[in-house]
Amino acid sequence: MFANYVPVIVDGLVDAALIFFVAVGLTLVFSVARVLNVAHGSFYALGAYLSVVIGMWLTGHGWIVASLAALLLSPILIAVALGPLIERTLLRWTYGRPEALQILVTFGLFLVLEDMQKLIFGVEPYSQDTAVQLFGVSHISGIVYPNYQLLLIVLAIMVGIGLRLMLRQTRIGKLIAAVVADQEMAQTIGIDVSRIFVLAFTLGVLLAALGGALASPMIGVAPGLGAEAIVLAFAVAAIGGLGQIEGAALAAILVGLTRASAIYWAPEFQPVVPYLVMVAVLLVRPYGLFGSVGLRRI
Amino acid sequence: MAYSGPSVFGAFDMVVWQLLALAVAAMALPVAVPWLGFVITVAIGKGLAALGVAMLLRGGLISIGHALYVAVGAYATAFLMLSVGMNELFLLLVCTTAITMASGLVIGAFMARYRAIFFAMLNLAISMVFFTLLSKLYNLTGGSDGMRVATPTVLGVTLDRTKFDLVLQFSAVALMVVVALLIDRYLKSPLGEALTAIHANEVRLEYLGVSARGVILAVYTISAALAGLGGAITAVAIGHVVPELSYWTASGQLVLIAVLGGISGVPGAFIGAFFFELVRTFAADFVPDAWNAIVGVALLIVIFFLPQGLYGLLQRVKMRKARL
Amino acid sequence: MNPILSVRDLHISFGGVKAADGVDLDIYPHEFIAIIGPNGSGKTTFLNLCTGYIRPTRGSVIFEGRSITNQAPRTITRRGIARAFQIPQLFTGHSLIENVMLSVAAQHGIWQAFRPLAHEAYRKKACEVLDLMSLGDIAHGPTANMPEGLRKLTDIAIALALKPRLLLLDEPTSGVSTAEKFALMDTIVGVLRAEKVTALFVEHDMDVVERYADRVLVWDAGQVIAGGPPQEILCSSHVLERVIGIS
């Protein structure tokens, strides 16, 4: 009986892992800067493109194992190159402004990044699955799974726990947590809030790009990837409660499992699932699973 | 004692003149450059939808899902022609607007509970559900190939395509003026002014005995109807409807047009739409892969340097002249 | 005479702090009542409970013989209770007169979609209120960056324009200079007496309380600990100790 569900659960968790990277980055940036970044999906797409291109170059030169490094290297390159730059210029301007403006500014950024991506990488689809090949396969209840997929689940759990530990245990994490809790107070006690914002945003970019890079060996990398990633990340972040890391993790699992179930039983409606889950959750809990909002003092 | 200060509301006549000027430009341009007629018609379709989005923005509500109603309007037109056999242009426009209005009322009843980011994201979610259904229900909607929309008759007369396009362009211009004037009236009524009030202070509005949800439901329903009308015009103008009409980037475009044009007056949405479509038409020829970036940069420039949009710029120039 | 507002056994607590702990009181038509008490004793919470901004865990609020417990602020407002706020709640996107006109329009039913807000009927009534509050000169000015005293007056004008039968004022003189506070209160009380409006006001300034209140209710830790005419209450050493900190 249970064995029947194993494929759904494994597929669901793989899906959840991939969603988690991009959604947790979005929610982390929101928790610190209170800005919903529409361009977040573009970092995912750039991560995928860059790792594929570097990976193809390395494979082409015979450095097959080294191409794995591209999966980790390219997110770092993107985060370092774009994170501080975008935070210092565009995002900073939106802090404390109405949501409509924040969404618009980041939408403008999204349009620019999408076309930059087309200009740099072209519009032809890429695929590069060396990583999946390298890791071989496992058999679970008679079904063949690429080890790479199982590795993704482990990586997502590690990143989730790592983020938690970082925010709780490390100095920089505690500073971030303080800014999240009360920005004014954090400023008053001498925390360099502006530096924390740069850090948190760059970390968000890193996570999105990492999500894209890790997904790239399993998907075709083509224009429109970022647009798809961001709406999915929105849904997951909203389900979990904006700004809630545990919420994003739980929501990713929820959406991953539901999507995997849909693939088995009603494949054509699989893309609708995240949004239906989101609508259902927000109907019952208007601020998401872990979210809450206090009354305004009058 | 009556106060006769500088009335914010006395600008009704001004709006009439601005709209007429816009209408004249929209009719005159294609005389000089004939192929622009199509661009103008499509721009008015977008402008109507953007006007709906601009109304919501006045209430501080940003919808990144309003292309949903453009698509509902476009597909409703396609279905009315194909399944019901309705072939009359004006009847199609009326019925489509009624259908989208009804869908806006139903979905709005649910949306009116939410604000800020959650409002934005729920609209996004519902439009994406609709997008997926349009793409996947192949037997009904033709899937990602979409549906063809034949050329309707006009007051019972069957026209060839060139004549029809001209009639459609003139009708669209007339509709733009009439609809914009009606919306202008609405925005200056207590119900419309309550939108700005919600944005500023929803709690106080409730303490006036006004249901903020009711105000939002009203504007949401009207905005859906406008987008639906825009969708119907787009459908008959292009002669083809596709699921991408409801994709979230199309919704983002509507918000962009609204802000580019400026939300402080009804002409703004149409100014934004004309500007957008013209830039797109020319950019698509010269830099096909970078026109989104151009529009994106234009948006950022407007947000940073012209917070009132192009329409606000127009008003500022006029005020300066009035002072001289 | 029947009370206009009756409160019975009202309870609410926030994270263990009892902001209303069994409040019972009756307010009679045309009374002008001051609520005093130390900070955090539940005075503003009481106004929030009466107007439906927060809901009590237990107890009832009855206005003109009908229960308004658990009703929304807009329903309670339509029943005839208006409120002015400690932090003025204005429509900062609108001018002063538009703020008041919105209030007038709301009272007449906001659904008249094709009559402009600037309609003569709304304008005239708004002007009357503004004249009463001596705000006529700046009627067309913006409200976004007004000084606190004017914000306070505008906030009260918006409430008065609703023509309520019961008005709740939360610290009407806070943010108003000492020189102006009596003039302000003279204006408000004059209007209220002329329009036969019952009023309840939270106040920290004992001079104002003594001069304007018919009756004083003393709040402490979510309870009404004393009530009576100002001369009596303000002389009670028990009250002075709790509220003003003089022993």
Side-chain angles (χ1 to χ4, degrees), chain A residues 70 96 132 225-226 293:
Chain A
V132 177
L225 195 63
V293 153

Side-chain angles (χ1 to χ4, degrees), chain A residues 185-202:
Chain A
M185 184 61 86
Q187 196 132 32
T188 321
I189 61 173
I191 297 177
D192 186 353
V193 173
S194 118
R195 205 169 59 108
I196 297 295
F197 276 48
V198 177
L199 263 170
F201 184 74
T202 308

